Amino acid sequence: MASDLVRFSVAIPETLLDAFDERTSRRGLHANRSEAIRDLMREQLAEQDMDDPDAEVVGSITMVYDHHVVGLSGALDQIQHDHMTQIVSTMHVHLDHHSCLEVLAVRGAGRSVRELADLLLGTKGVRYGCLAAVASTSAIEAGH
Ligand code: NI
């Protein structure tokens, strides 16, 4: 859902604008101030939407673990079966003889997605993990 563009003017210190433009230019040849400011606004709105634990979020849970740890694979599997409504898709990559990388695409109320991430990442033997999620309203419905 794209919306009409509106122009507005903002007064800010020149040094702040210079620093912002300098940072924006690092994004490459096609980077421009308007798009950089739009991104910042979206980020800010998305962060606020995430404050509501009932708001629907979309995102991913990434984790790396050693499948040789006794009981670990089964425990992670059990948690995922208990939360299958929040898990849209999973990808499992065998990194080496010991290590597995698993990426879960998730969707659901922020509270339940965070709970799922905490359970998985808090399981003993999970070496690395993170949840990257954004409120659906910000990611999908806000448009450009
Ligand atoms: Ni594996």
Side-chain angles (χ1 to χ4, degrees):
M1 180 177 63
S3 56
D4 293 334
L5 292 176
V6 175
R7 288 186 184 280
F8 66 101
S9 59
V10 179
I12 60 169
E14 193 177 0
T15 51
L16 180 59
L17 186 61
D18 287 347
F20 186 75
D21 283 346
E22 201 274 319
R23 189 69 58 91
T24 302
S25 71
R26 291 187 207 167
R27 290 169 149 208
L29 214 57
H30 301 291
N32 70 68
R33 185 190 287 161
S34 292
E35 183 54 25
I37 289 172
R38 285 194 287 269
D39 284 351
L40 280 181
M41 289 174 135
R42 288 189 197 108
E43 249 176 68
Q44 181 67 31
L45 291 169
E47 234 168 67
Q48 286 169 12
D49 287 344
M50 288 291 286
D51 290 343
D52 175 4
D54 293 322
E56 189 184 80
V57 304
V58 291
S60 64
I61 298 170
T62 301
M63 56 184 172
V64 175
Y65 61 91
D66 182 344
H67 74 100
H68 285 135
V69 172
V70 176
L72 178 56
S73 295
L76 295 176
D77 212 33
Q78 187 59 56
I79 294 168
Q80 293 188 43
H81 277 269
D82 290 342
H83 293 80
M84 58 187 182
T85 52
Q86 282 94 45
I87 300 171
V88 181
S89 177
T90 64
M91 179 176 69
H92 185 107
V93 179
H94 309 301
L95 292 176
D96 62 20
H97 191 65
H98 299 275
S99 306
C100 301
L101 164 71
E102 216 160 278
V103 182
L104 284 62
V106 291
R107 177 177 221 167
R111 179 190 286 119
S112 63
V113 167
R114 239 172 259 126
E115 180 192 284
L116 169 60
D118 286 342
L119 284 170
L120 289 171
L121 306 183
T123 302
K124 193 165 180 260
V126 175
R127 283 203 304 262
Y128 166 81
C130 67
L131 164 68
V134 64
S136 306
T137 48
S138 319
I140 304 167
E141 292 153 27
H144 302 284

